[in-house]
């Protein structure tokens, strides 16, 4: 065990994490030149295109220094805020972390939040400044930022360029010298932490884990501590570029286990594996259920494709256990699914994967969050969409989720950021200067206010300089109302929205004027109204389309024309009483994009 090192790389998006992993694999000859490609650990096309890691990966490297051979287990982590739970489990499986900072951009919001996660897990931090060969590199300035943040000395900070390979041998030597070897008792009952899982169509779910105590062998009967399920072990082994089977995986090692599980819900990231015959007394600290933060409806364009979409969603869930969905119906869109996502990026990725991997073109409704509603009888219920909201007379209070938002930017844009966040019902908690050119602002604000276009707006008002990160806090009481859209007095369920009372009038006006542009004119007048309960808060009217009934009367007496006009008037009156308004799909989709 003294020659094993378990470490991960933590960084903000696009700071060179995957490129550094490529250089480490090259230097340790873990993969041949023939197998080598850029971002070798990112095996999804989507990851390569967007330049982000969506799924965390693990790989074992063999490194020799003098006569001593070392085993280095790299557990790669996703960089985006949406996947912070996966990052926390990967960190729990390590003893050390490389903190990677881009020399041209300096410290960003997610760098700080991932660093705090690493410090909570008592990891040894090795600071690395990457991209020092770039023209805009600010090495001295970024060194000052890191020393202020971590308290280390400048001599401890490594300088590297992952693109050219400069400084990478020094990083390998630092991993061996500075990261402690794993501590564990090979003779104790088995304790292994699951930090990731993938689905193989032939072998079922493959769970990746780190063994803290004991050992696991092929043929052992294992138990998953938090789910209580027991399985026969078909295969265990270590993680190279592929899977390499071994008869036994011991304390300190990172490996995989195949038990033939076909249901993704039975394997949970953060769970503990132990032996059924001699179980450990307690699970490894930190397991929690992954909670979806953002909810949206996903509907097939043709209602006939509903069953096919269900199959695709189930297959996708096997590879992405954090996706939650249940069937729902809508008057406007027919049958579909109510889905829970970790955040807006996660939602975008699920939509893109459905299109690419399963050839499914889908309609996504307006994303919203879940609210906790207490009725007058003291009963508590969770509401995910407007149709579930009880009658206003039966509601005692409504609570909505709040987050702590962290924005790091240049001082020039403080005014713009404050205006944006305060308009979104944010409260400024703290403002501190990390350096003379970097300021950190902390806000507490409702999650519902950031799920639309907050991130895009933040980027545009700061010319792309701001970085953003958030953490869920708790639920707090708010004045949330259900706003309905009425067309000629009839409610359209798919256009209803849950919104804060202070913003309902403005939102209602926007929605009504947008609908006025998009709905086709009819032979009768159409009233578009936004209502909160029984109160109408906004109204637009689409005037009737007048057919020229007198066109066939050329010349002749005026009474003939008047007779035809009177007849048309009567018909229109009758039409208004029984006329239905059909909403075209384009109008419906454009309303969903209202916030854009």
């Amino acid at each position: 065990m003294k020659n094993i090192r378990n470490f991960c790389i933590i960084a903000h998006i696009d700071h060179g994490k995957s490129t550094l992993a490529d250089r480490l694999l090259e230097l340790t000859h873990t993969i041949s030149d023939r197998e080598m490609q850029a971002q070798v650990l990112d095996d999804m096309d989507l990851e390569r295109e967007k330049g982000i890691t969506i799924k965390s990966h693990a790989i074992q490297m063999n490194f020799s220094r003098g006569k001593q051979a070392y085993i280095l287990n790299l557990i790669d982590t996703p960089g985006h805020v949406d996947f912070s739970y996966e990052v926390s489990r990967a960190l729990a499986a390590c003893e050390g972390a490389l903190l990677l900072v881009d020399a041209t951009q300096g410290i960003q919001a997610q760098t700080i939040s991932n660093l705090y996660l690493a410090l909570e897990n008592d990891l040894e931090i090795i600071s690395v400044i990457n991209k020092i060969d770039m023209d805009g590199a600010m090495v001295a300035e970024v060194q000052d930022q890191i020393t202020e943040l971590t308290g280390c000395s400048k001599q401890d900070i490594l300088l590297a360029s992952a693109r050219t390979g400069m400084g990478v041998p020094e990083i390998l030597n630092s991993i061996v010298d500075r990261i402690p070897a794993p501590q564990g008792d090979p003779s104790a009952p088995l304790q292994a932490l699951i930090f990731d899982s993938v689905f193989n169509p032939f072998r079922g779910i493959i769970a990746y884990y780190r063994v803290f105590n004991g050992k696991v062998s092929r043929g052992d009967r294992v138990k998953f501590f938090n789910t209580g399920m027991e399985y026969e072990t078909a295969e265990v082994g270590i993680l190279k570029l592929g899977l390499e089977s071994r008869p036994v995986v011991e304390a300190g090692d990172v490996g995989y286990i195949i038990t033939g599980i076909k249901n993704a819900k039975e394997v949970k990231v953060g769970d503990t594996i132990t032996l059924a015959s001699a179980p450990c007394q307690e699970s490894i600290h930190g397991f929690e259920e992954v909670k979806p933060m953002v909810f949206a409806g996903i509907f097939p364009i043709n209602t006939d494709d509903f069953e096919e979409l269900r199959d695709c969603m189930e297959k996708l869930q096997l590879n992405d256990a954090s996706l939650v969905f249940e069937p729902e119906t809508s008057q406007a869109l027919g049958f579909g699914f109510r889905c829970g996502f970790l955040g807006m990026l996660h939602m975008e990725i699920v939509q893109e994967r459905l299109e690419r991997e399963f050839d499914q073109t889908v309609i996504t409704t307006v994303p919203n969050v879940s609210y906790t509603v207490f009725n007058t009888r003291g009963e508590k219920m969770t509401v995910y969409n407007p149709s579930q909201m009880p009658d206003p007379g039966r509601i005692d209070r409504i609570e909505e989720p709040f987050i702590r938002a962290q924005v790091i930017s240049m001082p020039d844009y403080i005014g713009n950021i404050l205006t944006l966040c305060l308009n979104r019902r944010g409260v400024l908690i703290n403002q501190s200067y990390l350096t003379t050119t970097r300021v950190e602002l902390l806000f507490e604000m409702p999650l519902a206010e950031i799920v639309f276009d907050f991130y895009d707006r933040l980027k545009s008002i700061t010319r792309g300089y701001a970085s953003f990160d958030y953490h869920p806090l708790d639920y707090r009481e708010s004045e949330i109302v259900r706003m309905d859209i009425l067309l000629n007095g009839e409610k359209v369920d798919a256009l209803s929205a849950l919104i804060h009372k202070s913003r309902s009038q403005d939102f209602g006006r926007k929605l009504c004027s947008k609908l006025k542009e998009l709905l086709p004119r009819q032979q009768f007048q159409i009233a578009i109204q936004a209502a909160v309960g029984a109160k109408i808060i906004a109204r637009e009217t689409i005037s009737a389309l007048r057919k020229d009934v007198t066109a066939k009367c050329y010349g002749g007496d005026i009474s003939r024309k008047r007779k035809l006009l009177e007849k048309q008037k009567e018909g229109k009156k009758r039409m208004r009483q029984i006329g239905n308004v059909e909403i075209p799909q384009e109008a419906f989709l454009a309303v969903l994009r209202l916030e854009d």
Side-chain angles (χ1 to χ4, degrees), residues 230-512:
E230 293 186 12
Y231 309 96
E232 198 76 39
T233 307
E235 188 183 307
V236 293
I238 58 159
L239 300 151
K240 290 287 191 178
L241 192 58
L243 305 175
E244 205 169 283
S245 99
R246 295 278 167 94
V248 63
V249 179
E250 297 186 318
D253 266 331
V254 172
Y256 71 90
I257 185 168
I258 298 174
T259 54
I261 302 168
K262 288 283 194 285
N263 185 353
K265 292 186 177 70
E266 291 176 32
V267 180
K268 296 190 185 293
V269 171
D271 204 348
T272 303
I273 304 174
T274 187
L275 293 177
S277 53
C280 57
Q281 293 306 303
E282 55 178 31
S283 64
I284 295 159
H285 174 67
F287 173 76
E288 57 182 72
E289 294 280 351
V290 182
K291 294 183 190 72
M293 302 294 289
V294 172
F295 297 87
I298 286 186
F299 294 86
I301 290 219
N302 296 324
T303 342
D304 304 344
D305 300 339
F306 173 71
E307 285 303 326
E308 195 185 332
L309 180 62
R310 184 202 291 272
D311 291 345
C312 298
M313 296 282 281
E314 282 169 358
K315 284 177 189 162
L316 186 58
Q317 195 180 38
L318 293 169
N319 270 319
D320 183 355
S322 48
L323 171 67
V324 182
F325 66 89
E326 58 181 37
E328 79 160 352
T329 53
S330 154
Q331 282 176 5
L333 297 171
F335 293 102
F337 296 98
R338 185 96 203 138
C339 305
F341 308 97
L342 299 174
M344 291 302 282
L345 177 82
H346 185 213
M347 175 174 147
E348 198 182 309
I349 283 162
V350 166
Q351 201 175 339
E352 200 129 337
R353 284 182 73 182
L354 279 171
E355 283 185 21
R356 286 182 184 212
E357 295 171 29
F358 303 102
D359 213 18
Q360 291 288 315
T361 312
V362 294
I363 297 168
T364 311
T365 64
V366 181
N368 61 14
V369 301
S370 62
Y371 297 93
T372 305
V373 178
F374 294 87
N375 64 18
T376 45
R377 287 185 289 184
E379 293 165 344
K380 177 181 170 183
M381 62 186 285
T382 306
V383 169
Y384 301 107
N385 62 0
S387 60
Q388 295 175 324
M389 185 66 86
D391 198 79
R394 299 214 309 271
I395 296 173
D396 178 37
R397 68 181 193 280
I398 300 172
E399 292 181 355
E400 67 173 327
F402 268 67
I403 54 155
R404 170 159 290 190
Q406 176 191 35
V407 180
I408 295 177
S409 181
M410 293 165 76
D412 312 8
Y413 305 112
I414 290 177
N416 294 353
I417 296 167
L418 282 170
T419 307
L420 174 68
C421 293
L422 297 176
N423 284 347
R424 299 292 178 106
R425 297 191 285 135
V427 177
L428 181 66
I429 301 299
N430 193 17
Q431 176 182 330
S432 56
Y433 281 82
L434 302 172
T435 64
T436 50
T437 56
R438 286 215 169 280
V439 63
E440 178 191 47
L441 301 166
L442 287 177
F443 294 92
E444 284 187 3
M445 58 199 298
L447 178 64
E449 296 291 344
I450 68 158
V451 297
F452 277 122
D453 58 346
F454 179 81
Y455 192 60
D456 298 337
R457 290 290 311 281
L458 180 69
K459 282 287 180 195
S460 65
I461 62 170
T462 59
R463 297 185 188 167
Y465 281 109
S467 60
F468 173 67
D469 190 22
Y470 70 88
H471 296 283
L473 287 175
D474 51 8
Y475 278 73
R476 298 180 189 175
E477 193 174 334
S478 287
E479 276 195 283
I480 302 295
V481 291
R482 171 181 159 168
M483 192 188 75
D484 293 308
I485 293 294
L486 311 175
L487 293 182
N488 271 357
E490 283 186 32
K491 278 184 191 172
V492 182
D493 75 322
L495 298 179
S496 298
L498 294 174
I499 194 161
H500 193 263
K501 197 174 180 179
S502 61
R503 291 190 62 198
S504 60
Q505 201 151 4
D506 182 44
F507 188 74
R509 278 203 196 104
K510 274 191 200 168
L511 204 48
C512 289

Side-chain angles (χ1 to χ4, degrees), residues 35-54:
E35 291 172 309
M36 191 61 206
Q37 56 172 327
Q39 290 173 256
V40 71
L41 292 181
D42 295 345
D43 48 15
M44 255 187 251
D45 290 342
L46 206 56
E47 291 180 311
R48 293 172 191 286
E49 282 170 33
K50 288 183 178 279
I52 57 173
T53 303
I54 294 166

Side-chain angles (χ1 to χ4, degrees), residues 51-334:
I52 57 173
T53 303
I54 294 166
K55 197 94 179 96
S56 57
H57 296 264
I59 194 163
Q60 190 176 98
M61 299 176 276
N62 294 78
F63 175 59
S64 299
R65 196 170 66 174
K67 291 181 180 177
Q68 197 70 52
Y70 293 94
I71 293 171
L72 310 180
N73 288 313
L74 163 62
I75 299 173
D76 194 14
T77 58
H80 199 275
V81 54
D82 283 7
F83 308 108
S84 58
Y85 178 68
E86 271 189 52
V87 176
S88 75
R89 295 304 84 217
L91 293 173
C94 301
E95 276 80 33
L98 298 179
L99 177 70
L100 198 64
V101 181
D102 186 333
T104 62
Q105 293 183 49
I107 282 174
Q108 305 279 298
Q110 276 149 251
T111 319
I112 294 178
S113 61
N114 287 346
L115 173 67
Y116 288 156
L117 277 175
L119 292 172
E120 276 174 33
N121 285 291
D122 291 333
L123 265 59
E124 177 64 38
I125 307 291
I126 299 173
S127 303
V128 180
I129 298 178
N130 189 24
K131 305 188 188 181
I132 57 164
D133 59 326
M134 300 280 279
D135 293 339
M138 313 173 289
V139 177
E141 197 177 315
V142 177
Q143 275 180 326
D144 291 340
Q145 289 179 20
I146 293 173
T147 50
E148 269 184 58
L149 184 66
T150 63
C152 65
S153 66
K154 281 191 183 178
Q155 290 75 34
D156 293 338
I157 300 170
L158 304 176
L159 304 179
S161 167
R163 188 169 58 90
T164 60
M166 187 201 309
V168 180
E170 288 80 3
I171 294 175
L172 274 171
N173 287 319
S174 293
I175 290 167
V176 170
D177 295 335
R178 288 164 62 179
I179 292 176
Q183 304 291 315
D185 183 355
S187 57
L190 173 67
Q191 253 189 331
L193 173 76
I194 299 175
F195 61 83
D196 197 12
S197 67
V198 292
F199 178 72
N200 181 305
F202 306 107
R203 315 200 68 182
I205 304 274
I206 302 171
Y208 297 164
Y209 58 87
R210 147 81 198 275
V211 185
F212 281 85
N213 293 307
K215 58 185 178 183
V216 59
S217 314
R218 189 184 303 141
D220 280 348
R221 188 158 185 80
V222 294
K223 178 185 176 184
F224 286 20
F225 203 93
N226 287 290
T227 59
M229 309 288 273
E230 293 186 12
Y231 309 96
E232 198 76 39
T233 307
E235 188 183 307
V236 293
I238 58 159
L239 300 151
K240 290 287 191 178
L241 192 58
L243 305 175
E244 205 169 283
S245 99
R246 295 278 167 94
V248 63
V249 179
E250 297 186 318
D253 266 331
V254 172
Y256 71 90
I257 185 168
I258 298 174
T259 54
I261 302 168
K262 288 283 194 285
N263 185 353
K265 292 186 177 70
E266 291 176 32
V267 180
K268 296 190 185 293
V269 171
D271 204 348
T272 303
I273 304 174
T274 187
L275 293 177
S277 53
C280 57
Q281 293 306 303
E282 55 178 31
S283 64
I284 295 159
H285 174 67
F287 173 76
E288 57 182 72
E289 294 280 351
V290 182
K291 294 183 190 72
M293 302 294 289
V294 172
F295 297 87
I298 286 186
F299 294 86
I301 290 219
N302 296 324
T303 342
D304 304 344
D305 300 339
F306 173 71
E307 285 303 326
E308 195 185 332
L309 180 62
R310 184 202 291 272
D311 291 345
C312 298
M313 296 282 281
E314 282 169 358
K315 284 177 189 162
L316 186 58
Q317 195 180 38
L318 293 169
N319 270 319
D320 183 355
S322 48
L323 171 67
V324 182
F325 66 89
E326 58 181 37
E328 79 160 352
T329 53
S330 154
Q331 282 176 5
L333 297 171

